[in-house]
Amino acid sequence: MLVEDIPALRNYWYPVAYADEVNSKPHAARVLFTDIVVWRTADDSFAASTAVCAHRGAPLDMGWVEDGCLVCPYHGWRYDSDGRCVSIPSAGPGATIPKRAGIESYPARERYGLVWINLNGTDAEPIPEFAEAESPDFIVAHELMEVWNASAPQILENALDVSHVAWVHRDSAGSSAAPEFGDEFSVDRTGSTLTFAVEHTARVTVQKAGGGGGDGSELTQRVSYGVLPNPFAVRIALVYPDTGLIHVLFKTATPVDNENTLFCQFIARNDRPEQGQMEKILNMDRRVQSEDRALLERIAPDYPLDVTAQFHTKADKVTLEYRRALATLSGVE
């Protein structure tokens, strides 16, 4: 299965930029083979539209924003947040502007410090609920947003696959000396929503030690509690029972096309590390993700929905349910 084989993916919201990076200049993005631009409007909200001008196909990300409207860099045509062309300078003041001079617009919203867009517009699924990201009991930090040469389903499966931690991250967050799961291991699926819990062994790194220690030589038990609210977004709470620390990972995978994905990760924690300690924690998470990226970019984008296409073990229960969820969404189950 390729991303293009599931039209229903257009119903979901996808992050395309950090909100504080979208200012007076349009921001270019690509979602599900669709080139778009997003910009900040006069009321400090966000707008999104197709990426080229209706006049001569000029790239609108080379333009600018004026009075909340998007201005084309080629001939100065101006578009409002609904995609309507509100000014054609060469036509003179007061000229009637035909409707077909407009461009297609898309809903855009800010949440969790990210700009989300939806290509469907009318029957969209909601933006994922990440409770800890808006809770006063947690601190939030953004870690990375970058395009990976890997498919969105492969990236999300990797996030759900706890058993890989012992091997891909054997020198960072995991240990190949302790690949087995603990007593707690469960998964439940309702439609395309997954919930799971997996107890496993992890290294005592700066992530658990609050940035103030943890050289990775010691091992500890933690439980990963996960919720997949939509096919390309997941919340995973890493809970350390011995200390009560909760380190929550929020991961999104915005499908650019079949082979490329805008991967975003941010976190929430229920402690208060100092700035220098927090930077060590973020760097550890970034190291882990770079290890995933190196491997995932070598895997073909054709994602197998047929559960008999590959061999599985009991450790694959969560990812098997993910494949079934995508199969249902694609209409092949």
Side-chain angles (χ1 to χ4, degrees):
M1 183 276 300
L2 297 173
V3 164
E4 66 183 14
D5 298 326
I6 309 182
L9 293 175
R10 292 178 66 88
N11 294 340
Y12 296 94
W13 289 84
Y14 299 102
V16 295
Y18 292 123
D20 61 4
E21 293 182 355
V22 180
N23 295 303
S24 60
K25 183 165 178 59
H27 177 89
R30 195 165 198 246
V31 181
L32 289 168
F33 306 89
T34 303
D35 292 312
I36 66 167
V37 289
V38 296
W39 71 94
R40 193 179 290 267
T41 64
D43 63 359
D44 211 31
S45 60
F46 293 90
S49 73
T50 186
V52 297
C53 180
H55 181 214
R56 289 293 183 266
L60 292 173
D61 64 291
M62 292 182 66
W64 58 91
V65 179
E66 193 171 304
D67 298 327
C69 290
L70 179 62
V71 182
C72 175
Y74 205 177
H75 298 94
W77 287 32
R78 185 176 299 204
Y79 299 96
D80 69 10
S81 59
D82 293 321
R84 291 188 296 262
C85 183
V86 296
S87 175
I88 299 179
S90 62
T96 299
I97 300 175
K99 185 176 180 180
R100 65 190 185 93
I103 55 178
E104 187 170 5
S105 65
Y106 305 104
R109 304 282 186 273
E110 179 182 358
R111 196 166 185 189
Y112 316 124
L114 306 172
V115 180
W116 302 69
I117 69 100
N118 175 265
L119 298 178
N120 190 336
T122 54
D123 300 319
E125 297 289 335
I127 293 175
E129 292 291 335
F130 294 145
E132 295 91 347
E134 296 176 325
S135 168
D137 297 326
F138 287 77
I139 58 169
V140 175
H142 287 274
E143 293 186 331
L144 70 157
M145 180 182 285
E146 55 193 17
V147 175
W148 290 9
N149 182 215
S151 74
Q154 296 287 10
I155 291 173
L156 255 293
E157 176 170 294
N158 170 265
L160 302 174
D161 180 8
V162 177
S163 65
H164 87 277
V165 174
W167 302 99
V168 178
H169 311 303
R170 61 192 179 276
D171 296 324
S172 54
S175 171
S176 58
E180 299 87 2
F181 289 167
D183 294 334
E184 188 167 5
F185 185 22
S186 62
V187 58
D188 181 72
R189 176 170 67 92
T190 302
S192 60
T193 300
L194 294 183
T195 57
F196 62 91
V198 183
E199 182 183 356
H200 59 107
T201 301
R203 290 190 182 276
V204 179
T205 65
V206 292
Q207 184 188 83
K208 181 192 176 186
D215 61 5
S217 61
E218 299 179 31
L219 302 179
T220 187
Q221 289 298 109
R222 74 182 183 196
V223 184
S224 294
Y225 293 101
V227 178
L228 183 92
N230 76 38
F232 296 149
V234 65
R235 163 212 171 269
I236 303 174
L238 308 180
V239 178
Y240 296 87
D242 59 340
T243 64
L245 172 66
I246 305 174
H247 181 93
V248 188
L249 303 169
F250 306 105
K251 301 170 183 274
T252 64
T254 299
V256 174
D257 49 37
N258 289 330
E259 298 87 14
N260 298 284
T261 304
L262 180 65
F263 176 71
C264 176
Q265 179 168 297
F266 59 106
I267 66 166
R269 289 175 65 94
N270 66 342
D271 62 354
R272 293 289 188 273
E274 295 179 359
Q275 181 59 40
Q277 295 173 327
M278 190 61 164
E279 195 57 38
K280 293 178 183 178
I281 294 168
L282 302 183
N283 286 338
M284 171 55 72
D285 279 357
R286 291 175 183 132
R287 174 183 172 184
V288 168
Q289 292 313 304
S290 70
E291 293 166 349
D292 282 333
R293 179 179 182 176
L295 183 137
L296 291 171
E297 290 189 337
R298 300 290 300 276
I299 297 178
D302 195 354
Y303 185 74
L305 295 184
D306 181 356
V307 296
T308 67
Q310 295 177 327
F311 187 78
H312 312 284
T313 73
K314 64 180 182 180
D316 299 316
K317 286 198 303 184
V318 179
T319 55
L320 277 173
E321 288 302 322
Y322 178 62
R323 293 186 180 196
R324 293 186 178 107
L326 280 185
T328 298
L329 192 65
S330 67
V332 301
E333 189 176 61

